[in-house]
Amino acid sequence: MTLITFDESKNIFHLSNTSISYLIGIEKESYLSHLYFGKAIKTYHDGRKYPVMDRSFSPNPEGTPLKTRDFSLDVISQEFPCYGHGDFRNPAVQIKQTNGSSITEFVYDSYEIISGKPILDGLPASYVEGDEEAETLVITLIDKLLNLKLKLSYTIYAQRNVIARNALLENNGTAPVVIEKLASLSVDLPEQDLELISLPGRHVKEREIERQTIQRGTRIIDSKRGTSSHQSNPFIAIVEPKTDEFTGTAIGLTLVYSGNHEMLVERDQFSQTRVMAGINPFGFEWELESDASFQSPEALLVYSDQGLNGMSQTFHDLLQNRLARGQYRQAERPILINNWEATYFDFDTDKIKKIVDSAADLGIELFVLDDGWFGKRDDDTSGLGDWFENTEKLKGGLKGIADYVHQKNMTFGLWFEPEMVNADSDLFRQHPDYALQIPGRSMSTSRDQYVLDFSRKEVRETITAQMRAILDTIDIDYIKWDMNRNLTEVYSATASAAHQGEVFHRYVLGLYEMLEELTTDYDHILWEGCSGGGGRFDAGFLHYMPQSWTSDNTDAVERLDIQYGTSLVYPISSMGAHVSAVPNHQTYRETGLEIRGDVAMSGVFGYELNLQDMTQEEKAVVLEQVAFYKTHRKLLQYGKFHRLLSPFESDQTAWLFVNGNQSQAIGFYFRKYAESAGPLRTLKFTGLAPEKTYQVNGDAIYGGDELMSVGLHIYPFLVGDYQSRKFVINEVKSN
């Protein structure tokens, strides 16, 4: 199947599969214009050709054939705009030159069409498992004065509604230049009413859905924290006002990057909308020497004409199957018990063994030993950076715990926070310069810790060696990789003044190098990401670790919002979700085990409480939850996920998991608050086969069309606050 064509007579590139088309034109034989991204078309007949008209105060570039006043870069829709030659909107590239100018002029030079998808050097990216899966268009632009080449890559998958984009800048000139900005993606959309959806938040309240009308001016969604952050996830969607979960068009965009990012949306004077994503230019300067190159992170652009659910399902499939890697990519994930909220730092070998005993009796499969097992670590003021066993706290050491867990037919997991150091640690006393700090200035602490300078190879190697000493001697099946603060005093002791603007990005590149090494060498381990919960929940991290701890907030009611928002882009198999104790340790709310279990089952399921404090009746509920999840685990982790009712719109939430052949589905309904003489609530399903017959909860029989069009009453009626219901839907096979 040919996915990319070039019409030489019209100078048009057409990227298309059976679902989507992406059109790029070459204007005046020099400038790349964006023509269309949306539902697939068979042939393009120049309907979006730039209208020839004079726009006042819109300059006209020199050097184009038949110079007139009717062509301006200030007006046309572009693919990768520069600044300084007539376009006054936000540029995708800015490069400071030796004469002090940051103005460039990149014009079309050549193109290449490649089977498959090239890998990105040193950066996570989506991939193919055979060249027939995708084709890649590489368009080369050139700044002739500086002899810079800008290579724009576009990959289209044959079976996915995705365009993967990145930019590579090559310096073929004789003088160095400084990159001040290089976006991964830029696209200009024509005049139309549009809305912006983003996922802002904060610690323990991540990825809230915010929707706003796109008005004239610039809106920036960004992080300056050194990570993708709790506050501003690297995802946006551009939608029609009428778009909802089920209908309407949506363009989704996520950046495969774990550091400072910028998602920019600009509506110009003519109501055209420019959308851009890449490394945040704030605090970023990269000196590019002659004969050197710089690679931007990958951006993933998704189109849906089936509402937000259609957009999300495309993201889920891609991130789960062509971004995540390794043996756990589609493996059923174990049910775990984590000791953190049960013990915090106050544990010893006997306490841990009792938790393991209780967990084994309840059918839990994985025990995770959290913070406090290493160095001199009895609270959060010491020990980080000293990754050796605290044998005074753990008699028999980690090996004794690991062996005990394995004897119980469970697997063993361990917590690390490799990027951090406490002042009270052997590492900091020996190498204080390993921490990010500015000479002569004070050092900020957060959680009583500093950030190690992972832009330096010797720092990474020191931590890697400590971790390897543990991993090579202890039988470990799972690692939780945590990061409990953002970056401050970003300055590297070994970088020159001219290269300090590179430290943010070099930190991320160093982290990726370390992750690549460890997850490859210890590929039998299930790795889980964490950053105070969801502070680094992004596509870049998913490339190395197939799941992440979604939030430090374990309250079931709060988790409805958090998991619903997260699902807008990230697959359910990536979302760690645990049942915790009540009153909840973050909100102090009391909720029943049923709703706590149903919310946690809608992710990678586990427990984070002291099982010994539970009554026999509560343990019986846990046994039922564990058995239910094991029975339906594949569907709940890898089924097609549909959002039905949003917690951001009412006190009701509902979602549904459907298997591949639509023979089985599980729906969850949640209601936060009781109401007197309330309405008779009904729930309509989606994603089923209308022609099939289904049995619900082992009882009544309904047609698929009935369940989707007529729906069911929420019955038996819910009593009290914080209630949930499960709907197990199975196809009835005809004889």
Side-chain angles (χ1 to χ4, degrees):
M1 179 180 182
T2 300
L3 301 173
I4 302 173
T5 60
F6 179 58
D7 185 335
E8 294 185 3
S9 64
K10 296 178 181 177
N11 277 344
I12 302 294
F13 296 99
H14 189 177
L15 294 76
S16 185
N17 54 30
T18 58
S19 300
I20 60 171
S21 285
Y22 193 105
L23 294 165
I24 304 166
I26 306 172
E27 301 284 344
K28 305 293 185 183
E29 299 182 358
S30 297
Y31 305 104
L32 283 190
S33 65
H34 177 75
L35 298 171
Y36 174 75
F37 178 48
K39 194 170 182 177
I41 60 172
K42 289 185 291 185
T43 308
Y44 172 68
H45 292 96
D46 243 7
R48 286 275 181 89
K49 185 177 178 64
Y50 171 66
V52 176
M53 59 191 306
D54 185 3
R55 295 283 196 178
S56 58
F57 284 86
S58 292
N60 318 114
E62 254 183 13
T64 55
L66 302 175
K67 178 187 172 188
T68 62
R69 293 183 179 181
D70 56 23
F71 179 84
S72 176
L73 296 173
D74 194 35
V75 179
I76 69 167
S77 296
Q78 296 183 64
E79 276 295 313
F80 214 80
C82 304
Y83 180 84
H85 289 277
D87 188 348
F88 298 103
R89 296 167 290 180
N90 282 281
V93 57
Q94 285 181 283
I95 297 170
K96 190 173 183 178
Q97 298 131 52
T98 54
N99 65 0
S101 171
S102 293
I103 293 174
T104 56
E105 186 175 22
F106 283 99
V107 295
Y108 175 76
D109 179 67
S110 60
Y111 78 92
E112 180 183 13
I113 297 174
I114 302 167
S115 296
K117 185 176 189 294
I119 63 171
L120 296 191
D121 185 27
L123 286 165
S126 58
Y127 57 87
V128 296
E129 291 188 341
D131 284 350
E132 70 284 351
E133 268 195 59
E135 286 184 357
T136 299
L137 170 66
V138 181
I139 299 177
T140 298
L141 308 180
I142 189 167
D143 184 302
K144 296 176 182 177
L145 177 64
L146 301 175
N147 202 8
L148 298 176
K149 283 188 176 180
L150 184 56
K151 295 186 175 181
L152 307 179
S153 291
Y154 303 75
T155 296
I156 180 169
Y157 283 83
Q159 303 296 328
R160 294 180 169 89
N161 297 359
V162 178
I163 302 291
R165 289 186 56 179
N166 69 80
L168 175 71
L169 183 68
E170 296 178 350
N171 184 0
N172 299 307
T174 58
V177 296
V178 175
I179 304 172
E180 298 178 313
K181 179 178 182 178
L182 181 65
S184 298
L185 169 152
S186 182
V187 61
D188 286 355
L189 304 175
E191 183 278 327
Q192 57 189 306
D193 291 334
L194 294 170
E195 294 180 350
L196 168 66
I197 296 175
S198 59
L199 297 175
R202 58 188 182 273
H203 179 236
V204 300
K205 193 66 173 175
E206 296 90 343
R207 290 172 297 285
E208 299 180 274
I209 297 177
E210 185 169 278
R211 185 164 177 165
Q212 58 192 284
T213 300
I214 297 176
Q215 299 177 330
R216 280 181 290 184
T218 300
R219 175 80 164 92
I220 291 176
I221 311 293
D222 75 339
S223 172
K224 303 178 184 72
R225 295 171 175 265
T227 69
S228 48
S229 82
H230 302 84
Q231 290 74 16
S232 179
N233 197 264
F235 161 81
I236 57 173
I238 309 297
V239 301
E240 299 173 318
K242 67 179 182 181
T243 298
D244 58 20
E245 292 286 13
F246 311 100
T247 61
T249 63
I251 294 174
L253 168 60
T254 192
L255 192 65
V256 186
Y257 189 62
S258 306
N260 289 344
H261 61 84
E262 180 185 79
M263 322 290 278
L264 182 150
V265 179
E266 179 184 11
R267 192 170 178 88
D268 72 8
Q269 58 185 326
F270 303 115
S271 297
Q272 300 172 121
T273 300
R274 175 164 291 174
V275 182
M276 199 176 293
I279 295 172
N280 198 329
F282 178 87
F284 173 83
E285 285 187 342
W286 189 280
E287 187 172 78
L288 193 65
E289 298 286 348
S290 180
D291 296 324
S293 63
F294 180 85
Q295 175 66 63
S296 82
E298 179 170 87
L300 299 171
L301 194 63
V302 162
Y303 173 79
S304 168
D305 61 358
Q306 298 176 24
L308 294 174
N309 271 316
M311 177 198 72
S312 299
Q313 288 156 7
T314 299
F315 272 124
H316 293 180
D317 174 65
L318 179 73
L319 300 187
Q320 190 176 73
N321 298 308
R322 290 298 179 268
L323 186 72
R325 302 173 299 168
Q327 68 182 56
Y328 294 100
R329 184 181 75 177
Q330 291 185 325
E332 294 184 21
R333 313 283 170 74
I335 302 170
L336 68 78
I337 178 77
N338 184 300
N339 73 295
W340 178 242
E341 288 194 11
T343 66
Y344 294 101
F345 294 103
D346 183 19
F347 62 82
D348 56 23
T349 300
D350 289 340
K351 277 189 179 181
I352 295 302
K353 286 184 175 180
K354 288 176 182 178
I355 293 173
V356 173
D357 290 343
S358 298
D361 290 342
L362 294 170
I364 294 171
E365 299 158 312
L366 164 64
F367 169 74
V368 180
L369 181 61
D370 211 280
D371 194 355
W373 59 266
F374 55 92
K376 184 183 177 184
R377 183 75 166 174
D378 294 318
D379 56 37
D380 57 14
T381 66
S382 63
L384 288 175
D386 297 339
W387 298 104
F388 50 84
E389 300 174 61
N390 185 336
T391 52
E392 292 183 9
K393 180 181 286 191
L394 293 175
K395 304 301 183 185
L398 285 177
K399 187 177 189 307
I401 296 292
D403 289 347
Y404 189 82
V405 171
H406 289 129
Q407 288 165 12
K408 293 287 183 176
N409 293 317
M410 296 172 64
T411 52
F412 176 62
L414 198 60
W415 180 94
F416 282 91
E417 192 171 6
E419 298 160 74
M420 300 294 152
V421 66
N422 289 120
D424 185 4
S425 67
D426 291 347
L427 181 65
F428 188 79
R429 283 185 283 270
Q430 295 165 11
H431 299 284
D433 65 298
Y434 277 14
L436 291 172
Q437 58 192 288
I438 300 171
R441 295 197 181 277
S442 62
M443 297 173 68
S444 304
T445 59
S446 181
R447 201 176 181 247
D448 287 291
Q449 60 198 53
Y450 303 127
V451 182
L452 289 171
D453 184 359
F454 266 31
S455 72
R456 294 170 58 181
K457 191 173 185 63
E458 66 272 25
V459 177
R460 301 194 303 271
E461 288 177 341
T462 297
I463 299 300
T464 300
Q466 291 186 26
M467 292 182 70
R468 284 185 179 277
I470 298 291
L471 300 180
D472 290 341
T473 55
I474 311 298
D475 189 3
I476 296 173
D477 307 285
Y478 162 104
I479 286 177
K480 179 181 176 182
W481 181 300
D482 210 344
M483 183 195 193
N484 281 304
R485 64 158 295 177
N486 296 131
L487 278 60
T488 56
E489 291 80 53
V490 179
Y491 183 97
S492 180
T494 58
S496 68
H499 293 274
Q500 292 298 331
E502 302 172 9
V503 176
F504 269 123
H505 185 53
R506 287 195 183 277
Y507 181 99
V508 178
L509 293 178
L511 173 64
Y512 286 156
E513 180 183 274
M514 187 171 172
L515 293 178
E516 181 73 29
E517 176 185 330
L518 288 172
T519 59
T520 299
D521 290 352
Y522 301 94
D523 59 355
H524 65 283
I525 291 175
L526 171 58
W527 297 79
E528 178 174 280
C530 180
S531 179
R536 198 162 55 186
F537 204 117
D538 57 67
F541 231 73
L542 184 59
H543 188 66
Y544 305 99
M545 301 187 181
Q547 63 189 59
S548 282
W549 183 222
T550 314
S551 176
D552 278 349
N553 189 341
T554 56
D555 175 62
V557 177
E558 294 276 271
R559 271 298 187 108
L560 292 174
D561 292 14
I562 293 167
Q563 292 175 208
Y564 195 98
T566 302
S567 76
L568 214 60
V569 59
Y570 303 105
I572 303 305
S573 62
S574 69
M575 294 163 50
H578 299 169
V579 175
S580 63
V582 292
N584 178 264
H585 290 196
Q586 292 80 46
T587 64
Y588 306 101
R589 194 192 326 263
E590 298 258 5
T591 55
L593 259 178
E594 183 177 11
I595 188 171
R596 280 181 278 157
D598 287 348
V599 172
M601 284 183 200
S602 303
V604 180
F605 186 48
Y607 292 85
E608 194 156 336
L609 41 69
N610 194 337
L611 296 169
Q612 293 175 285
D613 291 342
M614 304 184 86
T615 65
Q616 290 303 312
E617 291 78 10
E618 289 172 326
K619 288 182 179 179
V621 174
V622 171
L623 277 169
E624 291 178 3
Q625 291 175 342
V626 168
F628 182 88
Y629 193 76
K630 286 180 178 178
T631 299
H632 302 288
R633 173 165 33 200
K634 185 174 182 180
L635 173 59
L636 293 172
Q637 291 180 358
Y638 296 103
K640 183 174 283 189
F641 182 73
H642 301 260
R643 293 178 299 272
L644 304 178
L645 296 172
S646 171
F648 296 96
E649 297 175 3
S650 74
D651 77 338
Q652 301 178 88
T653 306
W655 47 57
L656 180 75
F657 301 83
V658 183
N659 71 354
N661 63 8
Q662 300 169 295
S663 64
Q664 187 180 39
I666 297 177
F668 292 88
Y669 173 87
F670 307 92
R671 191 197 65 193
K672 294 179 184 177
Y673 306 115
E675 53 186 330
S676 59
L680 301 177
R681 306 286 189 187
T682 59
L683 181 63
K684 294 180 181 180
F685 300 93
T686 190
L688 304 173
E691 72 280 3
K692 290 186 177 183
T693 302
Y694 296 94
Q695 186 177 43
V696 179
N697 290 339
D699 188 13
I701 305 294
Y702 303 93
D705 53 355
E706 282 183 273
L707 291 171
M708 293 189 289
S709 298
V710 180
L712 301 176
H713 279 307
I714 306 300
Y715 189 85
F717 301 121
L718 302 175
V719 178
D721 293 341
Y722 317 131
Q723 298 295 313
S724 63
R725 286 284 185 270
K726 287 192 289 288
F727 297 87
V728 179
I729 303 169
N730 287 298
E731 180 185 358
V732 178
K733 302 289 186 180
S734 58
N735 294 327

